[in-house]
Amino acid sequence: PVGTIYQRSGGEMGLEIGEEDATEEIKNCLLERLENLDLKSSVIVNKNPYNVVRIPWLRKLFPDSIIVGIVRKPVANVFSLLKRFTHNEAYTYEPEEGWWGVKPKNWRQLIHENKIIQCAHQWKAINGKLLQERNLVDLIVSYHQVCSSPLATVEKILSLTEGKEVKLSVKYPLIQCFDNEYQTGSRLLSKKRDPNGFAVLDSSWLQEENIEIQALQATDVALIEEICEPVSQHIFG
């Protein structure tokens, strides 16, 4: 139902959905869809960045769910967002009205000709919303933490579902963290995708890359940190 809810306000509410829209009709619709999935597992995982502005809605619809927020440092996240504003034939979709990614309420007011400023305010608004709903979130982990300790992160999440400490015998590969690519420049296609565009965890095959977006200047980094600091200090300290 998110498309209908988005259009209702002419897009001004962005992708935000509140608790009042967690109606029985919508709940029954979503539960029916989940029941019809061809799955044997008793646990369903949904990874969707847009859900960060729908937390009250999700919590009301699925009160027993485990909600985990994954947060990336502002400069690294802004640099990643900036890639979408550089034309690339590998991208299926173009930015909408000069915007790419999660839309908070009143997102059009944040549109700026300087996309560094725009993306920094986007990071601040989205993660500020996450902090605002912190009491409805079970766990917040950093992108760096997920990369450096994937097994420990999964065990921590599973412990929340089981109600007790969980230890897994499987091995998870370390996920290379690219938080510093804003210092060197990068190709436009995510490093988590192989030459054919398929998602991969192991990026060790990537030895050299064609730099398609240049590194951020020190003044750019300072500007991003200044804009995001009121929120980032509460998340990263």
Side-chain angles (χ1 to χ4, degrees), residues 33-82:
R33 292 178 184 178
L34 290 174
E35 290 173 358
N36 289 334
L37 291 177
D38 185 19
L39 296 174
K40 296 181 179 179
S41 173
S42 61
V43 177
I44 297 175
V45 178
N46 175 253
K47 180 257 183 184
N48 186 346
Y50 298 149
N51 283 339
V52 74
V53 292
R54 303 170 180 164
I55 294 173
W57 182 67
L58 288 171
R59 179 57 74 199
K60 182 72 178 293
L61 290 172
F62 306 107
D64 298 326
S65 62
I66 302 298
I67 299 179
V68 180
I70 302 177
V71 182
R72 194 172 187 182
K73 292 181 179 179
V75 177
N77 209 161
V78 166
F79 184 77
S80 181
L81 283 168
L82 287 171

Side-chain angles (χ1 to χ4, degrees), residues 20-160:
E20 65 278 3
D21 280 307
T23 64
E24 283 299 311
E25 180 183 5
I26 289 176
K27 182 175 183 179
N28 292 334
C29 172
L30 295 178
L31 288 176
E32 182 180 354
R33 292 178 184 178
L34 290 174
E35 290 173 358
N36 289 334
L37 291 177
D38 185 19
L39 296 174
K40 296 181 179 179
S41 173
S42 61
V43 177
I44 297 175
V45 178
N46 175 253
K47 180 257 183 184
N48 186 346
Y50 298 149
N51 283 339
V52 74
V53 292
R54 303 170 180 164
I55 294 173
W57 182 67
L58 288 171
R59 179 57 74 199
K60 182 72 178 293
L61 290 172
F62 306 107
D64 298 326
S65 62
I66 302 298
I67 299 179
V68 180
I70 302 177
V71 182
R72 194 172 187 182
K73 292 181 179 179
V75 177
N77 209 161
V78 166
F79 184 77
S80 181
L81 283 168
L82 287 171
K83 295 177 183 179
R84 285 292 185 170
F85 293 99
T86 302
H87 179 71
N88 186 301
E89 294 180 356
Y91 292 152
T92 306
Y93 303 103
E94 295 293 329
E96 178 189 0
E97 297 184 39
W99 187 277
W100 180 262
V102 183
K103 296 174 181 173
K105 179 180 178 181
N106 299 324
W107 59 278
R108 289 189 178 98
Q109 297 177 18
L110 300 180
I111 294 176
H112 198 284
E113 61 181 10
N114 184 328
K115 294 307 176 185
I116 292 176
I117 294 176
Q118 176 179 312
C119 291
H121 280 292
Q122 180 181 3
W123 188 97
K124 179 183 177 183
I126 297 302
N127 289 282
K129 180 69 174 173
L130 177 63
L131 284 180
Q132 181 183 337
E133 313 294 357
R134 180 66 182 88
N135 63 313
L136 301 177
V137 178
D138 296 281
L139 179 67
I140 293 180
V141 295
S142 70
Y143 168 81
H144 185 273
Q145 182 180 349
V146 173
C147 292
S148 62
S149 305
L151 180 59
T153 304
V154 172
E155 288 178 339
K156 193 168 187 179
I157 295 171
L158 288 177
S159 295
L160 294 174

